[in-house]
Amino acid sequence: MTRRLADFPAGEVARRRDELLALCAQAFCGAPWHEPPLGAVRTVERLLGSAAGRPDFRAVAAFGPDGELLGFTAGWTDTVLTGREPAFELAELVVAPAHQGLGTGRALHDAILAAAPGPRLLMTLDVPELTKRYEHWGWTVADRRTPGTSGRVYAVMRREDG
């Protein structure tokens, strides 16, 4: 499969809003997330709202041979997950279902982290399918949290290298 990785600046994120909505809706509707379409809207609106306006916003996208959006990742430096020290937060990693399992997610992951030295954090649904993947990529579970009222447990994961 041919794919091209490229920086995904805030202006391009905004221009491709509808594609991002469709991609997130596809990726989050199935296992393990089982999110309704509103979950995709929340994800994209967060990116276009406060996140993309941050000076430290960074995103990378994967494109197919015809320019179609296959996936993206985004992050920024924050203290929300640590409560104190600044760390790069890998906030989103989304791959179209038809392109999952083909190395696209790992390529996006590695590309965004290449420019993010120091401590890194992410928060993901605490299910083996996700935590094992991130552990395989060098992350360790640092904490578990149950934010909001959904009762869903999330793993806060940390990676120190870089």
Side-chain angles (χ1 to χ4, degrees):
M1 187 216 35
T2 304
R3 70 171 169 262
R4 175 182 59 86
L5 297 183
D7 284 337
F8 201 36
E12 184 71 2
V13 170
R15 191 177 75 71
R16 292 186 174 247
R17 179 185 184 276
D18 290 345
E19 287 175 86
L20 286 168
L21 284 169
L23 174 68
C24 290
Q26 291 172 23
F28 296 151
C29 74
W33 296 101
H34 301 289
E35 286 279 338
L38 183 57
V41 172
R42 282 192 304 261
T43 296
V44 173
E45 292 306 322
R46 177 175 71 140
L47 285 175
L48 295 175
S50 61
R54 299 173 60 111
D56 57 347
F57 175 81
R58 173 135 165 75
V60 177
F63 299 99
D66 295 326
E68 69 274 22
L69 184 63
L70 307 178
F72 75 95
T73 185
W76 46 83
T77 303
D78 213 335
T79 60
V80 172
L81 293 178
T82 64
R84 59 188 186 288
E85 68 175 313
F88 181 78
E89 179 183 349
L90 177 61
E92 296 297 337
L93 177 57
V94 181
V95 177
H99 298 278
Q100 293 174 4
L102 302 174
T104 302
R106 180 64 189 259
L108 287 165
H109 168 271
D110 292 353
I112 200 165
L113 291 186
R120 298 130 174 196
L121 295 169
L122 65 82
M123 189 164 73
T124 190
L125 194 59
D126 191 13
V127 296
E129 176 181 343
L130 297 171
T131 56
K132 296 275 187 228
R133 177 178 307 129
Y134 284 114
E135 286 171 346
H136 181 72
W137 293 352
W139 296 81
T140 58
V141 174
D143 192 14
R144 287 187 165 79
R145 299 183 184 173
T146 310
T149 59
S150 72
R152 295 174 100 173
V153 179
Y154 289 81
V156 176
M157 301 187 78
R158 186 176 187 95
R159 184 171 161 157
E160 294 290 341
D161 66 305

PDB file of all heavy atoms in Angstrom, residues 55-95:
ATOM      1  N   PRO A  55       0.206  27.329  19.951  1.00  0.00           N
ATOM      2  CA  PRO A  55       1.472  27.469  19.218  1.00  0.00           C
ATOM      3  C   PRO A  55       2.260  26.160  19.145  1.00  0.00           C
ATOM      4  O   PRO A  55       3.083  25.992  18.241  1.00  0.00           O
ATOM      5  CB  PRO A  55       2.237  28.528  20.015  1.00  0.00           C
ATOM      6  CG  PRO A  55       1.609  28.547  21.360  1.00  0.00           C
ATOM      7  CD  PRO A  55       0.178  28.124  21.177  1.00  0.00           C
ATOM      8  N   ASP A  56       1.997  25.228  20.045  1.00  0.00           N
ATOM      9  CA  ASP A  56       2.728  23.962  20.065  1.00  0.00           C
ATOM     10  C   ASP A  56       1.932  22.816  19.434  1.00  0.00           C
ATOM     11  O   ASP A  56       2.333  21.658  19.539  1.00  0.00           O
ATOM     12  CB  ASP A  56       3.124  23.598  21.491  1.00  0.00           C
ATOM     13  CG  ASP A  56       1.935  23.508  22.434  1.00  0.00           C
ATOM     14  OD1 ASP A  56       0.829  23.961  22.068  1.00  0.00           O
ATOM     15  OD2 ASP A  56       2.111  22.987  23.536  1.00  0.00           O
ATOM     16  N   PHE A  57       0.826  23.133  18.760  1.00  0.00           N
ATOM     17  CA  PHE A  57       0.033  22.116  18.079  1.00  0.00           C
ATOM     18  C   PHE A  57       0.873  21.481  16.982  1.00  0.00           C
ATOM     19  O   PHE A  57       1.534  22.159  16.218  1.00  0.00           O
ATOM     20  CB  PHE A  57      -1.226  22.738  17.462  1.00  0.00           C
ATOM     21  CG  PHE A  57      -2.046  21.788  16.626  1.00  0.00           C
ATOM     22  CD1 PHE A  57      -2.928  20.911  17.221  1.00  0.00           C
ATOM     23  CD2 PHE A  57      -1.930  21.772  15.238  1.00  0.00           C
ATOM     24  CE1 PHE A  57      -3.689  20.033  16.458  1.00  0.00           C
ATOM     25  CE2 PHE A  57      -2.688  20.911  14.467  1.00  0.00           C
ATOM     26  CZ  PHE A  57      -3.567  20.039  15.081  1.00  0.00           C
ATOM     27  N   ARG A  58       0.838  20.169  16.937  1.00  0.00           N
ATOM     28  CA  ARG A  58       1.562  19.434  15.883  1.00  0.00           C
ATOM     29  C   ARG A  58       0.666  18.314  15.414  1.00  0.00           C
ATOM     30  O   ARG A  58       0.043  17.622  16.219  1.00  0.00           O
ATOM     31  CB  ARG A  58       2.864  18.875  16.456  1.00  0.00           C
ATOM     32  CG  ARG A  58       3.588  17.958  15.505  1.00  0.00           C
ATOM     33  CD  ARG A  58       5.073  18.234  15.449  1.00  0.00           C
ATOM     34  NE  ARG A  58       5.820  17.151  14.825  1.00  0.00           N
ATOM     35  CZ  ARG A  58       5.854  16.909  13.526  1.00  0.00           C
ATOM     36  NH1 ARG A  58       5.167  17.649  12.694  1.00  0.00           N
ATOM     37  NH2 ARG A  58       6.575  15.916  13.032  1.00  0.00           N
ATOM     38  N   ALA A  59       0.588  18.120  14.120  1.00  0.00           N
ATOM     39  CA  ALA A  59      -0.194  17.023  13.558  1.00  0.00           C
ATOM     40  C   ALA A  59       0.513  16.493  12.321  1.00  0.00           C
ATOM     41  O   ALA A  59       1.218  17.222  11.623  1.00  0.00           O
ATOM     42  CB  ALA A  59      -1.607  17.489  13.213  1.00  0.00           C
ATOM     43  N   VAL A  60       0.317  15.213  12.078  1.00  0.00           N
ATOM     44  CA  VAL A  60       0.858  14.537  10.906  1.00  0.00           C
ATOM     45  C   VAL A  60      -0.292  13.730  10.306  1.00  0.00           C
ATOM     46  O   VAL A  60      -1.091  13.140  11.039  1.00  0.00           O
ATOM     47  CB  VAL A  60       2.025  13.591  11.288  1.00  0.00           C
ATOM     48  CG1 VAL A  60       2.540  12.840  10.068  1.00  0.00           C
ATOM     49  CG2 VAL A  60       3.156  14.363  11.958  1.00  0.00           C
ATOM     50  N   ALA A  61      -0.375  13.714   8.980  1.00  0.00           N
ATOM     51  CA  ALA A  61      -1.433  12.965   8.301  1.00  0.00           C
ATOM     52  C   ALA A  61      -0.816  11.955   7.347  1.00  0.00           C
ATOM     53  O   ALA A  61       0.302  12.127   6.860  1.00  0.00           O
ATOM     54  CB  ALA A  61      -2.357  13.910   7.542  1.00  0.00           C
ATOM     55  N   ALA A  62      -1.572  10.904   7.084  1.00  0.00           N
ATOM     56  CA  ALA A  62      -1.212   9.907   6.080  1.00  0.00           C
ATOM     57  C   ALA A  62      -2.201  10.056   4.926  1.00  0.00           C
ATOM     58  O   ALA A  62      -3.417  10.091   5.143  1.00  0.00           O
ATOM     59  CB  ALA A  62      -1.287   8.496   6.659  1.00  0.00           C
ATOM     60  N   PHE A  63      -1.658  10.142   3.731  1.00  0.00           N
ATOM     61  CA  PHE A  63      -2.478  10.309   2.533  1.00  0.00           C
ATOM     62  C   PHE A  63      -2.239   9.151   1.582  1.00  0.00           C
ATOM     63  O   PHE A  63      -1.111   8.668   1.446  1.00  0.00           O
ATOM     64  CB  PHE A  63      -2.126  11.623   1.826  1.00  0.00           C
ATOM     65  CG  PHE A  63      -2.374  12.844   2.656  1.00  0.00           C
ATOM     66  CD1 PHE A  63      -1.333  13.453   3.338  1.00  0.00           C
ATOM     67  CD2 PHE A  63      -3.645  13.370   2.770  1.00  0.00           C
ATOM     68  CE1 PHE A  63      -1.545  14.579   4.111  1.00  0.00           C
ATOM     69  CE2 PHE A  63      -3.873  14.504   3.551  1.00  0.00           C
ATOM     70  CZ  PHE A  63      -2.824  15.108   4.223  1.00  0.00           C
ATOM     71  N   GLY A  64      -3.284   8.737   0.902  1.00  0.00           N
ATOM     72  CA  GLY A  64      -3.182   7.710  -0.119  1.00  0.00           C
ATOM     73  C   GLY A  64      -2.691   8.309  -1.419  1.00  0.00           C
ATOM     74  O   GLY A  64      -2.467   9.525  -1.526  1.00  0.00           O
ATOM     75  N   PRO A  65      -2.541   7.482  -2.457  1.00  0.00           N
ATOM     76  CA  PRO A  65      -1.996   7.956  -3.732  1.00  0.00           C
ATOM     77  C   PRO A  65      -2.840   9.039  -4.401  1.00  0.00           C
ATOM     78  O   PRO A  65      -2.319   9.841  -5.166  1.00  0.00           O
ATOM     79  CB  PRO A  65      -1.928   6.701  -4.599  1.00  0.00           C
ATOM     80  CG  PRO A  65      -2.549   5.602  -3.838  1.00  0.00           C
ATOM     81  CD  PRO A  65      -2.809   6.059  -2.445  1.00  0.00           C
ATOM     82  N   ASP A  66      -4.127   9.068  -4.117  1.00  0.00           N
ATOM     83  CA  ASP A  66      -4.993  10.086  -4.715  1.00  0.00           C
ATOM     84  C   ASP A  66      -5.263  11.260  -3.771  1.00  0.00           C
ATOM     85  O   ASP A  66      -6.175  12.044  -4.002  1.00  0.00           O
ATOM     86  CB  ASP A  66      -6.324   9.457  -5.134  1.00  0.00           C
ATOM     87  CG  ASP A  66      -6.145   8.425  -6.236  1.00  0.00           C
ATOM     88  OD1 ASP A  66      -5.244   8.618  -7.078  1.00  0.00           O
ATOM     89  OD2 ASP A  66      -6.889   7.426  -6.244  1.00  0.00           O
ATOM     90  N   GLY A  67      -4.475  11.353  -2.686  1.00  0.00           N
ATOM     91  CA  GLY A  67      -4.631  12.446  -1.738  1.00  0.00           C
ATOM     92  C   GLY A  67      -5.684  12.207  -0.674  1.00  0.00           C
ATOM     93  O   GLY A  67      -5.960  13.090   0.130  1.00  0.00           O
ATOM     94  N   GLU A  68      -6.296  11.006  -0.666  1.00  0.00           N
ATOM     95  CA  GLU A  68      -7.320  10.738   0.340  1.00  0.00           C
ATOM     96  C   GLU A  68      -6.676  10.608   1.720  1.00  0.00           C
ATOM     97  O   GLU A  68      -5.556  10.128   1.858  1.00  0.00           O
ATOM     98  CB  GLU A  68      -8.146   9.493   0.001  1.00  0.00           C
ATOM     99  CG  GLU A  68      -7.406   8.173   0.108  1.00  0.00           C
ATOM    100  CD  GLU A  68      -6.634   7.751  -1.131  1.00  0.00           C
ATOM    101  OE1 GLU A  68      -6.291   8.601  -1.972  1.00  0.00           O
ATOM    102  OE2 GLU A  68      -6.355   6.539  -1.243  1.00  0.00           O
ATOM    103  N   LEU A  69      -7.382  11.065   2.731  1.00  0.00           N
ATOM    104  CA  LEU A  69      -6.905  11.043   4.110  1.00  0.00           C
ATOM    105  C   LEU A  69      -7.083   9.634   4.675  1.00  0.00           C
ATOM    106  O   LEU A  69      -8.201   9.140   4.797  1.00  0.00           O
ATOM    107  CB  LEU A  69      -7.689  12.061   4.945  1.00  0.00           C
ATOM    108  CG  LEU A  69      -7.268  12.247   6.384  1.00  0.00           C
ATOM    109  CD1 LEU A  69      -5.841  12.781   6.466  1.00  0.00           C
ATOM    110  CD2 LEU A  69      -8.231  13.210   7.072  1.00  0.00           C
ATOM    111  N   LEU A  70      -5.955   8.975   4.988  1.00  0.00           N
ATOM    112  CA  LEU A  70      -5.993   7.616   5.534  1.00  0.00           C
ATOM    113  C   LEU A  70      -5.947   7.605   7.057  1.00  0.00           C
ATOM    114  O   LEU A  70      -6.392   6.645   7.689  1.00  0.00           O
ATOM    115  CB  LEU A  70      -4.802   6.804   5.011  1.00  0.00           C
ATOM    116  CG  LEU A  70      -4.588   6.750   3.512  1.00  0.00           C
ATOM    117  CD1 LEU A  70      -3.348   5.937   3.192  1.00  0.00           C
ATOM    118  CD2 LEU A  70      -5.820   6.192   2.820  1.00  0.00           C
ATOM    119  N   GLY A  71      -5.379   8.653   7.639  1.00  0.00           N
ATOM    120  CA  GLY A  71      -5.261   8.726   9.088  1.00  0.00           C
ATOM    121  C   GLY A  71      -4.532   9.984   9.487  1.00  0.00           C
ATOM    122  O   GLY A  71      -3.994  10.711   8.643  1.00  0.00           O
ATOM    123  N   PHE A  72      -4.532  10.260  10.785  1.00  0.00           N
ATOM    124  CA  PHE A  72      -3.807  11.424  11.287  1.00  0.00           C
ATOM    125  C   PHE A  72      -3.487  11.211  12.758  1.00  0.00           C
ATOM    126  O   PHE A  72      -4.081  10.377  13.438  1.00  0.00           O
ATOM    127  CB  PHE A  72      -4.602  12.719  11.086  1.00  0.00           C
ATOM    128  CG  PHE A  72      -5.739  12.892  12.051  1.00  0.00           C
ATOM    129  CD1 PHE A  72      -5.574  13.627  13.224  1.00  0.00           C
ATOM    130  CD2 PHE A  72      -6.967  12.301  11.813  1.00  0.00           C
ATOM    131  CE1 PHE A  72      -6.617  13.768  14.121  1.00  0.00           C
ATOM    132  CE2 PHE A  72      -8.016  12.442  12.708  1.00  0.00           C
ATOM    133  CZ  PHE A  72      -7.840  13.176  13.864  1.00  0.00           C
ATOM    134  N   THR A  73      -2.551  11.982  13.223  1.00  0.00           N
ATOM    135  CA  THR A  73      -2.215  12.027  14.628  1.00  0.00           C
ATOM    136  C   THR A  73      -1.980  13.481  15.006  1.00  0.00           C
ATOM    137  O   THR A  73      -1.572  14.285  14.160  1.00  0.00           O
ATOM    138  CB  THR A  73      -0.985  11.152  14.944  1.00  0.00           C
ATOM    139  OG1 THR A  73      -0.763  11.123  16.347  1.00  0.00           O
ATOM    140  CG2 THR A  73       0.259  11.640  14.244  1.00  0.00           C
ATOM    141  N   ALA A  74      -2.270  13.822  16.252  1.00  0.00           N
ATOM    142  CA  ALA A  74      -2.092  15.199  16.705  1.00  0.00           C
ATOM    143  C   ALA A  74      -1.696  15.204  18.175  1.00  0.00           C
ATOM    144  O   ALA A  74      -2.035  14.284  18.928  1.00  0.00           O
ATOM    145  CB  ALA A  74      -3.386  15.999  16.514  1.00  0.00           C
ATOM    146  N   GLY A  75      -0.995  16.250  18.556  1.00  0.00           N
ATOM    147  CA  GLY A  75      -0.612  16.394  19.956  1.00  0.00           C
ATOM    148  C   GLY A  75      -0.085  17.783  20.240  1.00  0.00           C
ATOM    149  O   GLY A  75       0.029  18.622  19.351  1.00  0.00           O
ATOM    150  N   TRP A  76       0.229  18.013  21.513  1.00  0.00           N
ATOM    151  CA  TRP A  76       0.712  19.300  21.985  1.00  0.00           C
ATOM    152  C   TRP A  76       1.307  19.098  23.374  1.00  0.00           C
ATOM    153  O   TRP A  76       1.118  18.066  23.997  1.00  0.00           O
ATOM    154  CB  TRP A  76      -0.424  20.314  22.033  1.00  0.00           C
ATOM    155  CG  TRP A  76      -1.668  19.782  22.668  1.00  0.00           C
ATOM    156  CD1 TRP A  76      -1.960  19.716  24.006  1.00  0.00           C
ATOM    157  CD2 TRP A  76      -2.786  19.202  21.999  1.00  0.00           C
ATOM    158  NE1 TRP A  76      -3.190  19.135  24.205  1.00  0.00           N
ATOM    159  CE2 TRP A  76      -3.719  18.813  22.981  1.00  0.00           C
ATOM    160  CE3 TRP A  76      -3.085  18.979  20.654  1.00  0.00           C
ATOM    161  CZ2 TRP A  76      -4.926  18.199  22.667  1.00  0.00           C
ATOM    162  CZ3 TRP A  76      -4.293  18.371  20.354  1.00  0.00           C
ATOM    163  CH2 TRP A  76      -5.202  18.001  21.347  1.00  0.00           C
ATOM    164  N   THR A  77       2.010  20.105  23.851  1.00  0.00           N
ATOM    165  CA  THR A  77       2.585  20.046  25.188  1.00  0.00           C
ATOM    166  C   THR A  77       1.540  20.512  26.185  1.00  0.00           C
ATOM    167  O   THR A  77       0.876  21.522  25.971  1.00  0.00           O
ATOM    168  CB  THR A  77       3.847  20.936  25.272  1.00  0.00           C
ATOM    169  OG1 THR A  77       4.757  20.488  24.282  1.00  0.00           O
ATOM    170  CG2 THR A  77       4.490  20.848  26.639  1.00  0.00           C
ATOM    171  N   ASP A  78       1.413  19.761  27.275  1.00  0.00           N
ATOM    172  CA  ASP A  78       0.377  20.080  28.249  1.00  0.00           C
ATOM    173  C   ASP A  78       0.790  19.583  29.627  1.00  0.00           C
ATOM    174  O   ASP A  78       1.755  18.827  29.762  1.00  0.00           O
ATOM    175  CB  ASP A  78      -0.942  19.424  27.834  1.00  0.00           C
ATOM    176  CG  ASP A  78      -2.145  20.254  28.226  1.00  0.00           C
ATOM    177  OD1 ASP A  78      -2.054  21.060  29.180  1.00  0.00           O
ATOM    178  OD2 ASP A  78      -3.190  20.107  27.583  1.00  0.00           O
ATOM    179  N   THR A  79       0.028  19.985  30.635  1.00  0.00           N
ATOM    180  CA  THR A  79       0.229  19.498  31.999  1.00  0.00           C
ATOM    181  C   THR A  79      -1.014  18.799  32.535  1.00  0.00           C
ATOM    182  O   THR A  79      -1.036  18.379  33.682  1.00  0.00           O
ATOM    183  CB  THR A  79       0.594  20.654  32.956  1.00  0.00           C
ATOM    184  OG1 THR A  79      -0.473  21.607  32.947  1.00  0.00           O
ATOM    185  CG2 THR A  79       1.900  21.323  32.557  1.00  0.00           C
ATOM    186  N   VAL A  80      -2.038  18.667  31.698  1.00  0.00           N
ATOM    187  CA  VAL A  80      -3.317  18.113  32.154  1.00  0.00           C
ATOM    188  C   VAL A  80      -3.154  16.690  32.683  1.00  0.00           C
ATOM    189  O   VAL A  80      -3.673  16.359  33.761  1.00  0.00           O
ATOM    190  CB  VAL A  80      -4.368  18.160  31.026  1.00  0.00           C
ATOM    191  CG1 VAL A  80      -5.631  17.410  31.420  1.00  0.00           C
ATOM    192  CG2 VAL A  80      -4.703  19.598  30.688  1.00  0.00           C
ATOM    193  N   LEU A  81      -2.459  15.832  31.970  1.00  0.00           N
ATOM    194  CA  LEU A  81      -2.343  14.446  32.400  1.00  0.00           C
ATOM    195  C   LEU A  81      -1.350  14.256  33.539  1.00  0.00           C
ATOM    196  O   LEU A  81      -1.465  13.316  34.312  1.00  0.00           O
ATOM    197  CB  LEU A  81      -1.952  13.538  31.225  1.00  0.00           C
ATOM    198  CG  LEU A  81      -3.007  13.400  30.134  1.00  0.00           C
ATOM    199  CD1 LEU A  81      -2.494  12.510  29.004  1.00  0.00           C
ATOM    200  CD2 LEU A  81      -4.306  12.842  30.693  1.00  0.00           C
ATOM    201  N   THR A  82      -0.366  15.160  33.648  1.00  0.00           N
ATOM    202  CA  THR A  82       0.620  15.021  34.718  1.00  0.00           C
ATOM    203  C   THR A  82       0.222  15.795  35.956  1.00  0.00           C
ATOM    204  O   THR A  82       0.622  15.443  37.057  1.00  0.00           O
ATOM    205  CB  THR A  82       2.009  15.537  34.280  1.00  0.00           C
ATOM    206  OG1 THR A  82       1.925  16.939  34.017  1.00  0.00           O
ATOM    207  CG2 THR A  82       2.531  14.793  33.077  1.00  0.00           C
ATOM    208  N   GLY A  83      -0.514  16.870  35.763  1.00  0.00           N
ATOM    209  CA  GLY A  83      -0.873  17.727  36.879  1.00  0.00           C
ATOM    210  C   GLY A  83       0.245  18.672  37.274  1.00  0.00           C
ATOM    211  O   GLY A  83       0.067  19.519  38.142  1.00  0.00           O
ATOM    212  N   ARG A  84       1.404  18.550  36.650  1.00  0.00           N
ATOM    213  CA  ARG A  84       2.525  19.406  37.038  1.00  0.00           C
ATOM    214  C   ARG A  84       3.513  19.645  35.907  1.00  0.00           C
ATOM    215  O   ARG A  84       3.650  20.731  35.418  1.00  0.00           O
ATOM    216  CB  ARG A  84       3.232  18.835  38.262  1.00  0.00           C
ATOM    217  CG  ARG A  84       3.770  17.439  38.035  1.00  0.00           C
ATOM    218  CD  ARG A  84       4.315  16.783  39.306  1.00  0.00           C
ATOM    219  NE  ARG A  84       4.927  15.515  39.010  1.00  0.00           N
ATOM    220  CZ  ARG A  84       4.305  14.400  38.681  1.00  0.00           C
ATOM    221  NH1 ARG A  84       3.007  14.389  38.593  1.00  0.00           N
ATOM    222  NH2 ARG A  84       4.951  13.297  38.431  1.00  0.00           N
ATOM    223  N   GLU A  85       4.262  18.624  35.505  1.00  0.00           N
ATOM    224  CA  GLU A  85       5.338  18.808  34.532  1.00  0.00           C
ATOM    225  C   GLU A  85       4.790  18.862  33.108  1.00  0.00           C
ATOM    226  O   GLU A  85       3.889  18.123  32.756  1.00  0.00           O
ATOM    227  CB  GLU A  85       6.362  17.679  34.642  1.00  0.00           C
ATOM    228  CG  GLU A  85       5.807  16.352  34.191  1.00  0.00           C
ATOM    229  CD  GLU A  85       6.838  15.237  34.173  1.00  0.00           C
ATOM    230  OE1 GLU A  85       7.938  15.444  33.651  1.00  0.00           O
ATOM    231  OE2 GLU A  85       6.510  14.155  34.675  1.00  0.00           O
ATOM    232  N   PRO A  86       5.347  19.745  32.284  1.00  0.00           N
ATOM    233  CA  PRO A  86       4.944  19.749  30.882  1.00  0.00           C
ATOM    234  C   PRO A  86       5.401  18.456  30.200  1.00  0.00           C
ATOM    235  O   PRO A  86       6.502  17.976  30.429  1.00  0.00           O
ATOM    236  CB  PRO A  86       5.678  20.950  30.289  1.00  0.00           C
ATOM    237  CG  PRO A  86       6.160  21.750  31.441  1.00  0.00           C
ATOM    238  CD  PRO A  86       6.287  20.815  32.595  1.00  0.00           C
ATOM    239  N   ALA A  87       4.551  17.905  29.380  1.00  0.00           N
ATOM    240  CA  ALA A  87       4.860  16.696  28.620  1.00  0.00           C
ATOM    241  C   ALA A  87       4.113  16.776  27.296  1.00  0.00           C
ATOM    242  O   ALA A  87       3.041  17.378  27.211  1.00  0.00           O
ATOM    243  CB  ALA A  87       4.437  15.445  29.385  1.00  0.00           C
ATOM    244  N   PHE A  88       4.690  16.177  26.276  1.00  0.00           N
ATOM    245  CA  PHE A  88       3.991  16.124  24.995  1.00  0.00           C
ATOM    246  C   PHE A  88       2.858  15.118  25.122  1.00  0.00           C
ATOM    247  O   PHE A  88       3.068  13.967  25.505  1.00  0.00           O
ATOM    248  CB  PHE A  88       4.934  15.703  23.870  1.00  0.00           C
ATOM    249  CG  PHE A  88       4.257  15.665  22.532  1.00  0.00           C
ATOM    250  CD1 PHE A  88       4.013  16.833  21.837  1.00  0.00           C
ATOM    251  CD2 PHE A  88       3.828  14.467  21.988  1.00  0.00           C
ATOM    252  CE1 PHE A  88       3.354  16.808  20.602  1.00  0.00           C
ATOM    253  CE2 PHE A  88       3.172  14.433  20.758  1.00  0.00           C
ATOM    254  CZ  PHE A  88       2.942  15.607  20.076  1.00  0.00           C
ATOM    255  N   GLU A  89       1.638  15.565  24.817  1.00  0.00           N
ATOM    256  CA  GLU A  89       0.479  14.672  24.876  1.00  0.00           C
ATOM    257  C   GLU A  89       0.119  14.214  23.471  1.00  0.00           C
ATOM    258  O   GLU A  89      -0.237  15.028  22.616  1.00  0.00           O
ATOM    259  CB  GLU A  89      -0.720  15.371  25.505  1.00  0.00           C
ATOM    260  CG  GLU A  89      -1.929  14.469  25.562  1.00  0.00           C
ATOM    261  CD  GLU A  89      -3.175  15.133  26.110  1.00  0.00           C
ATOM    262  OE1 GLU A  89      -3.087  16.253  26.645  1.00  0.00           O
ATOM    263  OE2 GLU A  89      -4.250  14.523  25.982  1.00  0.00           O
ATOM    264  N   LEU A  90       0.244  12.919  23.233  1.00  0.00           N
ATOM    265  CA  LEU A  90      -0.239  12.321  21.995  1.00  0.00           C
ATOM    266  C   LEU A  90      -1.751  12.235  22.162  1.00  0.00           C
ATOM    267  O   LEU A  90      -2.268  11.338  22.818  1.00  0.00           O
ATOM    268  CB  LEU A  90       0.383  10.947  21.773  1.00  0.00           C
ATOM    269  CG  LEU A  90      -0.079  10.179  20.545  1.00  0.00           C
ATOM    270  CD1 LEU A  90       0.236  10.943  19.274  1.00  0.00           C
ATOM    271  CD2 LEU A  90       0.558   8.814  20.516  1.00  0.00           C
ATOM    272  N   ALA A  91      -2.452  13.211  21.614  1.00  0.00           N
ATOM    273  CA  ALA A  91      -3.872  13.367  21.899  1.00  0.00           C
ATOM    274  C   ALA A  91      -4.779  12.563  20.978  1.00  0.00           C
ATOM    275  O   ALA A  91      -5.850  12.129  21.399  1.00  0.00           O
ATOM    276  CB  ALA A  91      -4.251  14.846  21.832  1.00  0.00           C
ATOM    277  N   GLU A  92      -4.375  12.380  19.736  1.00  0.00           N
ATOM    278  CA  GLU A  92      -5.192  11.629  18.785  1.00  0.00           C
ATOM    279  C   GLU A  92      -4.303  10.807  17.873  1.00  0.00           C
ATOM    280  O   GLU A  92      -3.248  11.269  17.443  1.00  0.00           O
ATOM    281  CB  GLU A  92      -6.045  12.566  17.915  1.00  0.00           C
ATOM    282  CG  GLU A  92      -7.070  13.377  18.663  1.00  0.00           C
ATOM    283  CD  GLU A  92      -8.141  12.549  19.342  1.00  0.00           C
ATOM    284  OE1 GLU A  92      -8.386  11.393  18.929  1.00  0.00           O
ATOM    285  OE2 GLU A  92      -8.742  13.060  20.290  1.00  0.00           O
ATOM    286  N   LEU A  93      -4.750   9.603  17.579  1.00  0.00           N
ATOM    287  CA  LEU A  93      -4.135   8.747  16.564  1.00  0.00           C
ATOM    288  C   LEU A  93      -5.289   7.972  15.938  1.00  0.00           C
ATOM    289  O   LEU A  93      -5.864   7.086  16.570  1.00  0.00           O
ATOM    290  CB  LEU A  93      -3.109   7.795  17.175  1.00  0.00           C
ATOM    291  CG  LEU A  93      -2.447   6.802  16.212  1.00  0.00           C
ATOM    292  CD1 LEU A  93      -1.758   7.522  15.064  1.00  0.00           C
ATOM    293  CD2 LEU A  93      -1.450   5.927  16.960  1.00  0.00           C
ATOM    294  N   VAL A  94      -5.660   8.359  14.732  1.00  0.00           N
ATOM    295  CA  VAL A  94      -6.852   7.826  14.078  1.00  0.00           C
ATOM    296  C   VAL A  94      -6.475   7.309  12.697  1.00  0.00           C
ATOM    297  O   VAL A  94      -5.838   8.027  11.921  1.00  0.00           O
ATOM    298  CB  VAL A  94      -7.947   8.919  13.953  1.00  0.00           C
ATOM    299  CG1 VAL A  94      -9.199   8.366  13.308  1.00  0.00           C
ATOM    300  CG2 VAL A  94      -8.265   9.537  15.310  1.00  0.00           C
ATOM    301  N   VAL A  95      -6.870   6.073  12.402  1.00  0.00           N
ATOM    302  CA  VAL A  95      -6.605   5.468  11.097  1.00  0.00           C
ATOM    303  C   VAL A  95      -7.921   4.896  10.570  1.00  0.00           C
ATOM    304  O   VAL A  95      -8.670   4.255  11.304  1.00  0.00           O
ATOM    305  CB  VAL A  95      -5.535   4.356  11.196  1.00  0.00           C
ATOM    306  CG1 VAL A  95      -5.326   3.676   9.855  1.00  0.00           C
ATOM    307  CG2 VAL A  95      -4.219   4.927  11.719  1.00  0.00           C
TER     308      VAL A  95
END
